[in-house]
Amino acid sequence: MDYNSSESIKDAGRQAFNEGLKLSDCPINRRTNANAIHYWNFGWHDASNNTCKGPKCKAVKGVGHSLECEDKHDSHYLNL
């Protein structure tokens, strides 16, 4: 992990979420890099908040929905 910038640490947190790691799986040592943990957590939460929760879907910020998810979205809008 690159600790050189806050943005690279946030990217590591985003990547961890996308790989299925839990927030509690943060690999940063609390004793030596306590501040970096916050950046990693911000990145993890950012990915979590911007990821679609639909079936088999890994869309981020509305891009890349699965076919199952698109069908569910379409059926929802037809019922409005």
Side-chain angles (χ1 to χ4, degrees):
M1 181 182 314
D2 178 12
Y3 290 105
N4 292 325
S5 74
S6 59
E7 199 55 44
S8 65
I9 298 169
K10 288 178 191 176
D11 286 340
R14 288 182 193 102
Q15 182 179 356
F17 174 82
N18 292 332
E19 292 174 359
L21 293 175
K22 295 182 281 186
L23 186 60
S24 60
D25 292 333
C26 179
I28 299 172
N29 184 309
R30 294 185 184 280
R31 188 170 154 264
T32 58
N33 289 305
N35 292 332
I37 291 171
H38 298 293
Y39 293 122
W40 194 90
N41 288 344
F42 289 145
W44 191 95
H45 282 292
D46 182 47
S48 171
N49 293 335
N50 289 310
T51 302
C52 181
K53 309 294 190 247
K56 298 181 184 178
C57 192
K58 295 188 180 193
V60 176
K61 295 185 179 179
V63 178
H65 288 286
S66 67
L67 292 176
E68 294 87 352
C69 192
E70 286 180 0
D71 291 342
K72 187 174 182 179
H73 288 209
D74 291 343
S75 66
H76 171 76
Y77 290 120
L78 288 173
N79 293 326
L80 292 179

